[in-house]
Amino acid sequence: EAGVAQSPRYKIIEKRQSVAFWCNPISGHATLYWYQQILGQGPKLLIQFQNNGVVDDSQLPKDRFSAERLKGVDSTLKIQPAKLEDSAVYLCASSLVKGQGKETQYFGPGTRLLVL
Amino acid sequence: TQLLEQSPQFLSIQEGENLTVYCNSSSVFSSLQWYRQEPGEGPVLLVTVVTGGEVKKLKRLTFQFGDARKDSSLHITAAQPGDTGLYLCAGVASGAGSYQLTFGKGTKLSVIP
């Protein structure tokens, strides 16, 4: 079974530029998550989708971050404009069932973003 | 305020030694998970515990959920170099109104051959 795919794996941009990350979850997984993991910290949930609807985006900085999952499968996360403090690994995860904290989340390898 | 405190932050041991890492909170959790993350990869789920006092074993790894569901521990017996990685605990706080998974900062374990 193919895992969660993410691209690109690495991205270097200058502050105030925009960047987009792509995620393809495991086939059949209804729930998709985007996490931000800053160096030395654990992942922090940015947004959770159930099919193509947003379940939780309470920690998403909506003035600069946006995410969509138009057809309920792939998802993109965009940052515009980027700030230095956005340097982090952006992890995508998916789960078969609706997220209630007990389900297995499968994580992709992440996109490592460096903002200069 | 860090909801989940993990200790120690770093741990370097010799192959064959035993170790315990801790995950503590002042909050009650309805469930708690342990993940292992290797460099350049995403976290991989090791176990989920949901009942206070629950103990689960996964080969040489033993996981315990505290009776009050506020803390958890991971014990590794006879550590091997393949156990090297970042161990993360994550939980859903009871009564939080959401099922958002909150992660600790992790314990970085190095097992030296």
Side-chain angles (χ1 to χ4, degrees):
Chain A
E1 179 182 76
V4 176
Q6 290 189 246
S7 67
R9 291 296 308 272
Y10 305 92
K11 190 74 178 177
I12 301 175
I13 62 172
E14 294 188 348
K15 60 183 180 183
R16 291 187 290 273
Q17 286 187 325
S18 61
V19 64
F21 313 126
W22 173 82
C23 172
N24 186 15
I26 293 173
S27 178
H29 281 197
T31 309
L32 185 146
Y33 316 78
W34 282 102
Y35 289 87
Q36 179 193 58
Q37 186 174 22
I38 293 172
L39 188 65
Q41 298 186 18
K44 182 184 82 171
L45 180 69
L46 293 176
I47 189 166
Q48 177 183 337
F49 291 95
Q50 180 71 18
N51 296 309
N52 61 350
V54 175
V55 173
D56 188 342
D57 63 356
S58 57
Q59 296 196 97
L60 186 73
K62 298 180 185 64
D63 57 333
R64 298 184 300 106
F65 286 66
S66 64
E68 60 183 14
R69 194 185 184 200
L70 292 175
K71 297 183 179 179
V73 181
D74 294 6
S75 177
T76 56
L77 175 69
K78 296 180 181 178
I79 308 175
Q80 181 179 10
K83 291 186 175 181
L84 297 178
E85 58 262 35
D86 297 332
S87 293
V89 176
Y90 291 85
L91 294 162
C92 178
S94 69
S95 64
L96 186 59
V97 297
K98 185 175 181 179
Q100 294 190 352
K102 302 174 188 176
E103 75 287 358
T104 300
Q105 293 188 26
Y106 297 87
F107 284 82
T111 296
R112 190 175 300 270
L113 174 68
L114 179 61
V115 182
L116 301 175
Chain B
T1 302
Q2 184 66 35
L3 197 58
L4 281 168
E5 298 280 351
Q6 290 192 243
S7 62
Q9 200 173 347
F10 300 96
L11 188 56
S12 181
I13 61 170
Q14 293 291 131
E15 181 176 359
E17 292 184 346
N18 302 331
L19 67 114
T20 302
V21 298
Y22 301 92
C23 176
N24 296 299
S25 177
S26 57
S27 301
V28 176
F29 286 85
S30 58
S31 63
L32 198 135
Q33 297 181 323
W34 284 92
Y35 290 80
R36 181 170 68 211
Q37 184 176 23
E38 299 186 24
E41 300 297 328
V44 175
L45 180 65
L46 298 173
V47 76
T48 300
V49 287
V50 298
T51 305
E54 184 175 2
V55 177
K56 281 191 174 180
K57 291 193 175 184
L58 184 66
K59 297 183 180 177
R60 293 176 294 100
L61 279 60
T62 302
F63 304 86
Q64 187 163 5
F65 200 13
D67 291 341
R69 291 186 288 129
K70 291 184 177 182
D71 55 85
S72 181
S73 63
L74 158 59
H75 181 79
I76 301 179
T77 303
Q80 298 177 1
D83 296 327
T84 293
L86 179 68
Y87 288 82
L88 295 158
C89 66
V92 175
S94 289
S98 85
Y99 295 114
Q100 189 177 110
L101 205 57
T102 299
F103 282 82
K105 290 186 176 183
T107 292
K108 192 169 185 179
L109 171 65
S110 296
V111 182
I112 303 165

Coordinates of all heavy atoms in Angstrom, one line a residue, chain A residues 9-10 35 37 40-45 48 56 58-59 89 91 99-110 112, chain B residues 9 30-33 35 37 39-45 48 50 86 88 91-92 98-106:
Chain A
R9 N 10.1 17.9 -1.4 CA 10.7 17.5 -0.2 C 11.5 18.7 0.5 O 11.5 18.7 1.8 CB 11.7 16.3 -0.4 CG 11.0 15.0 -0.8 CD 10.1 14.5 0.3 NE 10.7 14.4 1.6 CZ 11.4 13.4 2.1 NH1 11.6 12.3 1.3 NH2 12.0 13.4 3.3
Y10 N 12.0 19.6 -0.3 CA 12.8 20.7 0.3 C 12.4 22.0 -0.5 O 12.2 21.9 -1.7 CB 14.3 20.5 0.2 CG 14.7 19.2 0.8 CD1 14.9 18.0 0.1 CD2 15.1 19.2 2.2 CE1 15.3 16.9 0.7 CE2 15.5 18.0 2.8 CZ 15.6 16.9 2.1 OH 16.0 15.7 2.7
Y35 N 0.3 19.5 9.4 CA 1.0 19.9 10.7 C 2.2 20.7 10.3 O 2.8 20.5 9.3 CB 1.5 18.6 11.4 CG 0.4 17.8 12.1 CD1 -0.2 16.8 11.4 CD2 0.1 18.0 13.4 CE1 -1.2 16.0 12.0 CE2 -0.9 17.2 14.1 CZ -1.5 16.2 13.3 OH -2.5 15.4 13.9
Q37 N 6.0 21.4 12.0 CA 6.9 21.0 13.0 C 8.2 21.9 12.9 O 9.0 21.7 12.0 CB 7.3 19.5 12.8 CG 8.2 19.0 14.0 CD 8.4 17.5 13.9 OE1 8.3 16.9 12.8 NE2 8.8 16.9 15.0
G40 N 13.0 21.1 16.9 CA 13.1 21.0 18.4 C 11.7 20.9 19.0 O 11.6 20.8 20.3
Q41 N 10.7 20.9 18.2 CA 9.3 20.8 18.8 C 8.5 19.6 18.1 O 8.9 19.1 17.1 CB 8.6 22.1 18.6 CG 9.2 23.3 19.3 CD 8.4 24.6 19.2 OE1 7.2 24.5 18.9 NE2 9.1 25.7 19.4
G42 N 7.4 19.3 18.7 CA 6.5 18.3 18.2 C 5.7 19.0 17.1 O 5.5 20.2 17.0
P43 N 5.0 18.1 16.3 CA 4.1 18.7 15.3 C 2.9 19.4 15.9 O 2.4 19.1 16.9 CB 3.6 17.4 14.5 CG 4.6 16.4 14.8 CD 5.1 16.7 16.2
K44 N 2.5 20.5 15.2 CA 1.4 21.3 15.6 C 0.3 21.3 14.5 O 0.7 21.6 13.3 CB 1.8 22.7 15.9 CG 0.6 23.6 16.4 CD 1.0 25.0 16.6 CE 1.0 25.8 15.3 NZ 1.2 27.3 15.5
L45 N -0.9 20.9 14.8 CA -1.9 20.8 13.8 C -2.3 22.2 13.3 O -2.5 23.1 14.0 CB -3.2 20.2 14.4 CG -4.4 20.0 13.4 CD1 -4.0 19.0 12.3 CD2 -5.6 19.7 14.1
Q48 N -7.4 20.4 9.6 CA -7.9 19.0 9.4 C -9.1 19.1 8.5 O -10.0 19.9 8.7 CB -8.3 18.4 10.8 CG -8.9 17.0 10.7 CD -9.4 16.5 12.0 OE1 -8.9 16.9 13.1 NE2 -10.3 15.6 12.0
D56 N -11.2 21.4 11.5 CA -10.5 22.2 12.5 C -9.4 23.0 11.8 O -8.5 22.4 11.2 CB -10.0 21.3 13.6 CG -9.4 22.1 14.8 OD1 -9.1 23.3 14.7 OD2 -9.2 21.4 15.8
S58 N -8.4 26.0 13.7 CA -8.2 26.9 14.7 C -6.8 27.4 14.9 O -6.6 28.5 15.4 CB -8.7 26.4 16.1 OG -8.0 25.2 16.4
Q59 N -5.8 26.7 14.5 CA -4.4 27.1 14.7 C -3.7 27.5 13.3 O -2.5 27.6 13.3 CB -3.6 26.0 15.4 CG -4.1 25.7 16.8 CD -3.1 24.9 17.6 OE1 -2.3 25.4 18.3 NE2 -3.1 23.6 17.4
V89 N 9.3 22.0 9.1 CA 8.8 20.9 8.3 C 7.3 20.9 8.3 O 6.7 20.9 9.4 CB 9.4 19.6 8.8 CG1 8.9 18.4 8.0 CG2 10.9 19.6 8.8
L91 N 4.2 18.7 7.6 CA 3.8 17.3 7.5 C 2.4 17.1 7.1 O 1.5 17.8 7.7 CB 4.0 16.6 8.9 CG 5.5 16.5 9.4 CD1 5.5 16.2 10.9 CD2 6.2 15.4 8.6
G99 N -11.1 11.9 12.5 CA -10.2 12.1 13.6 C -10.8 12.3 14.9 O -11.5 13.3 15.1
Q100 N -10.6 11.4 15.9 CA -11.1 11.5 17.2 C -10.0 11.3 18.2 O -10.2 11.0 19.4 CB -12.3 10.6 17.5 CG -13.5 10.9 16.7 CD -14.7 10.2 17.1 OE1 -14.6 9.3 17.9 NE2 -15.9 10.5 16.6
G101 N -8.8 11.3 17.7 CA -7.6 11.2 18.6 C -7.2 9.8 18.9 O -6.1 9.5 19.4
K102 N -8.0 8.8 18.5 CA -7.6 7.4 18.8 C -7.2 6.6 17.5 O -6.8 5.5 17.5 CB -8.7 6.6 19.5 CG -9.2 7.3 20.8 CD -10.4 6.6 21.4 CE -10.9 7.4 22.5 NZ -12.2 6.8 23.1
E103 N -7.5 7.3 16.4 CA -7.3 6.6 15.1 C -5.8 6.7 14.7 O -5.0 7.5 15.3 CB -8.1 7.3 14.0 CG -7.6 8.6 13.5 CD -7.8 9.8 14.5 OE1 -8.4 9.6 15.6 OE2 -7.3 10.9 14.2
T104 N -5.4 5.8 13.8 CA -4.0 5.8 13.3 C -3.9 6.9 12.3 O -4.6 6.8 11.3 CB -3.6 4.5 12.8 OG1 -3.7 3.5 13.8 CG2 -2.2 4.5 12.3
Q105 N -3.0 7.8 12.5 CA -2.6 8.8 11.5 C -1.3 8.3 10.8 O -0.4 8.0 11.5 CB -2.4 10.2 12.1 CG -3.7 10.8 12.7 CD -3.5 12.2 13.1 OE1 -2.7 12.9 12.6 NE2 -4.4 12.7 14.0
Y106 N -1.4 8.4 9.5 CA -0.2 8.0 8.7 C 0.4 9.3 8.1 O -0.3 10.0 7.4 CB -0.6 7.0 7.6 CG -1.1 5.7 8.0 CD1 -2.5 5.6 8.3 CD2 -0.3 4.6 8.2 CE1 -3.0 4.4 8.8 CE2 -0.8 3.4 8.7 CZ -2.2 3.3 9.0 OH -2.7 2.1 9.4
F107 N 1.7 9.5 8.5 CA 2.4 10.7 8.1 C 3.2 10.5 6.8 O 3.8 9.4 6.6 CB 3.3 11.2 9.2 CG 2.6 11.8 10.4 CD1 2.0 11.0 11.3 CD2 2.5 13.2 10.5 CE1 1.3 11.6 12.4 CE2 1.8 13.8 11.5 CZ 1.3 13.0 12.5
G108 N 3.2 11.6 6.0 CA 4.2 11.6 4.9 C 5.6 12.0 5.4 O 5.7 12.3 6.6
P109 N 6.5 12.1 4.5 CA 7.9 12.4 4.9 C 8.1 13.9 5.2 O 9.1 14.3 5.8 CB 8.7 12.0 3.7 CG 7.8 12.1 2.5 CD 6.5 11.7 3.1
G110 N 7.2 14.7 4.8 CA 7.3 16.2 5.1 C 8.0 17.0 4.0 O 8.7 16.4 3.2
R112 N 10.5 20.2 3.9 CA 11.3 21.1 4.8 C 11.4 22.4 4.1 O 12.0 22.5 3.0 CB 12.7 20.4 4.9 CG 13.6 21.1 6.0 CD 14.8 20.3 6.2 NE 14.6 18.9 6.6 CZ 14.5 18.5 7.9 NH1 14.6 19.4 8.8 NH2 14.3 17.3 8.2
Chain B
Q9 N 14.8 15.3 27.6 CA 14.8 15.9 26.2 C 15.7 15.1 25.3 O 15.4 14.9 24.1 CB 15.1 17.3 26.3 CG 14.7 18.1 25.1 CD 15.0 19.6 25.3 OE1 15.3 20.1 26.4 NE2 14.9 20.4 24.2
S30 N -8.1 11.8 27.1 CA -9.0 10.7 26.8 C -8.3 9.6 26.1 O -8.7 8.5 26.1 CB -10.2 11.2 25.9 OG -9.7 11.8 24.7
S31 N -7.2 10.0 25.4 CA -6.4 9.0 24.8 C -5.0 9.5 24.6 O -4.8 10.7 24.6 CB -6.9 8.6 23.4 OG -6.9 9.7 22.5
L32 N -4.0 8.6 24.5 CA -2.6 9.1 24.4 C -1.9 8.1 23.4 O -2.1 6.9 23.4 CB -1.9 9.1 25.7 CG -0.7 10.0 25.7 CD1 -0.6 10.8 27.0 CD2 0.6 9.1 25.6
Q33 N -1.1 8.7 22.5 CA -0.4 7.9 21.5 C 1.1 8.2 21.7 O 1.5 9.3 22.1 CB -0.8 8.3 20.1 CG -2.3 8.0 19.9 CD -2.7 8.3 18.4 OE1 -2.3 9.3 17.9 NE2 -3.6 7.5 17.9
Y35 N 4.6 8.0 19.3 CA 5.1 7.9 17.9 C 6.7 7.9 18.0 O 7.3 8.4 18.9 CB 4.7 9.1 17.1 CG 3.3 9.3 16.7 CD1 2.4 9.7 17.7 CD2 2.8 8.9 15.5 CE1 1.0 9.9 17.3 CE2 1.5 9.1 15.1 CZ 0.6 9.5 16.0 OH -0.7 9.6 15.7
Q37 N 9.9 9.1 15.4 CA 10.2 9.8 14.2 C 11.7 9.7 13.9 O 12.5 10.0 14.8 CB 9.7 11.3 14.3 CG 9.9 12.1 13.0 CD 9.4 13.5 13.2 OE1 9.3 14.0 14.3 NE2 9.1 14.1 12.1
P39 N 15.0 10.8 11.4 CA 15.4 12.0 10.6 C 14.9 12.0 9.2 O 15.1 11.0 8.5 CB 16.9 12.0 10.7 CG 17.2 11.2 11.9 CD 16.2 10.2 12.0
G40 N 14.3 13.0 8.7 CA 13.8 13.1 7.4 C 12.5 12.4 7.1 O 12.1 12.3 5.9
E41 N 11.9 11.9 8.1 CA 10.7 11.1 7.9 C 9.6 11.7 8.8 O 9.8 12.4 9.8 CB 10.9 9.6 8.3 CG 11.9 8.9 7.4 CD 11.5 8.9 5.9 OE1 10.3 8.8 5.7 OE2 12.4 9.0 5.1
G42 N 8.3 11.2 8.5 CA 7.2 11.6 9.4 C 7.1 10.7 10.6 O 7.7 9.6 10.6
P43 N 6.4 11.1 11.6 CA 6.2 10.2 12.8 C 5.5 8.9 12.4 O 4.6 8.9 11.5 CB 5.4 11.0 13.8 CG 5.6 12.4 13.3 CD 5.8 12.4 11.8
V44 N 5.8 7.8 13.1 CA 5.1 6.5 12.9 C 4.5 6.1 14.2 O 5.2 6.1 15.2 CB 6.1 5.4 12.4 CG1 5.4 4.1 12.3 CG2 6.7 5.8 11.0
L45 N 3.2 5.8 14.2 CA 2.5 5.4 15.4 C 3.0 4.1 16.0 O 3.1 3.1 15.2 CB 1.0 5.3 15.1 CG 0.1 4.9 16.3 CD1 0.1 6.0 17.4 CD2 -1.3 4.6 15.9
T48 N -1.5 3.2 20.9 CA -2.6 4.1 21.5 C -3.0 3.5 22.8 O -3.3 2.3 22.8 CB -3.7 4.2 20.5 OG1 -3.3 4.8 19.3 CG2 -4.8 5.1 21.1
V50 N -5.9 4.1 26.0 CA -7.1 4.9 26.2 C -7.6 4.7 27.7 O -8.5 5.5 28.1 CB -8.2 4.5 25.2 CG1 -7.8 4.9 23.8 CG2 -8.6 3.0 25.4
L86 N 13.4 10.0 17.5 CA 12.7 11.0 18.3 C 11.4 10.3 18.7 O 10.6 9.9 17.9 CB 12.4 12.3 17.5 CG 11.6 13.4 18.3 CD1 12.5 13.9 19.4 CD2 11.2 14.5 17.3
L88 N 7.8 10.7 20.4 CA 6.8 11.8 20.7 C 5.6 11.2 21.3 O 5.1 10.1 20.9 CB 6.4 12.4 19.3 CG 7.4 13.2 18.6 CD1 7.0 13.3 17.1 CD2 7.6 14.6 19.2
G91 N -1.7 13.5 22.6 CA -2.9 13.1 23.2 C -4.1 14.1 22.9 O -3.8 15.2 22.4
V92 N -5.2 13.6 23.2 CA -6.4 14.4 23.0 C -6.9 14.7 24.4 O -7.2 13.8 25.2 CB -7.6 13.7 22.2 CG1 -8.8 14.5 22.2 CG2 -7.1 13.4 20.8
S98 N -12.6 19.5 21.2 CA -12.1 19.1 19.9 C -11.3 17.9 20.0 O -10.9 17.5 21.1 CB -11.3 20.3 19.2 OG -9.9 20.2 19.6
Y99 N -11.1 17.2 18.9 CA -10.3 16.0 18.9 C -8.8 16.2 18.4 O -8.2 15.4 18.0 CB -10.9 14.9 18.1 CG -12.3 14.5 18.6 CD1 -13.5 14.8 17.9 CD2 -12.3 13.8 19.8 CE1 -14.7 14.3 18.5 CE2 -13.5 13.4 20.3 CZ -14.7 13.7 19.7 OH -15.9 13.2 20.2
Q100 N -8.4 17.5 18.5 CA -7.1 17.9 18.1 C -6.0 17.2 18.9 O -6.0 17.2 20.1 CB -6.9 19.4 18.2 CG -5.7 19.9 17.5 CD -5.6 21.4 17.6 OE1 -4.8 22.0 18.4 NE2 -6.5 22.1 16.9
L101 N -5.1 16.6 18.1 CA -4.0 15.8 18.8 C -2.9 16.8 19.1 O -2.4 17.6 18.3 CB -3.5 14.8 17.8 CG -2.7 13.6 18.3 CD1 -3.6 12.8 19.2 CD2 -2.3 12.7 17.1
T102 N -2.5 16.9 20.4 CA -1.5 17.7 20.9 C -0.2 16.9 21.1 O -0.3 15.9 21.8 CB -1.9 18.4 22.2 OG1 -3.0 19.2 21.9 CG2 -0.8 19.4 22.7
F103 N 0.9 17.4 20.6 CA 2.2 16.6 20.7 C 3.1 17.3 21.7 O 3.1 18.5 21.9 CB 2.9 16.6 19.4 CG 2.4 15.7 18.3 CD1 1.3 16.0 17.5 CD2 3.1 14.4 18.2 CE1 0.9 15.1 16.6 CE2 2.6 13.5 17.2 CZ 1.5 13.8 16.4
G104 N 3.9 16.4 22.4 CA 5.0 16.9 23.2 C 6.1 17.3 22.3 O 6.1 17.0 21.1
K105 N 7.2 17.8 22.9 CA 8.4 18.2 22.2 C 9.3 17.0 21.8 O 10.1 17.1 20.9 CB 9.2 19.2 22.9 CG 8.6 20.6 23.0 CD 9.6 21.5 23.7 CE 9.0 22.9 23.7 NZ 9.9 23.9 24.3
G106 N 9.1 15.9 22.5 CA 9.8 14.7 22.1 C 11.0 14.4 23.0 O 11.6 15.3 23.6

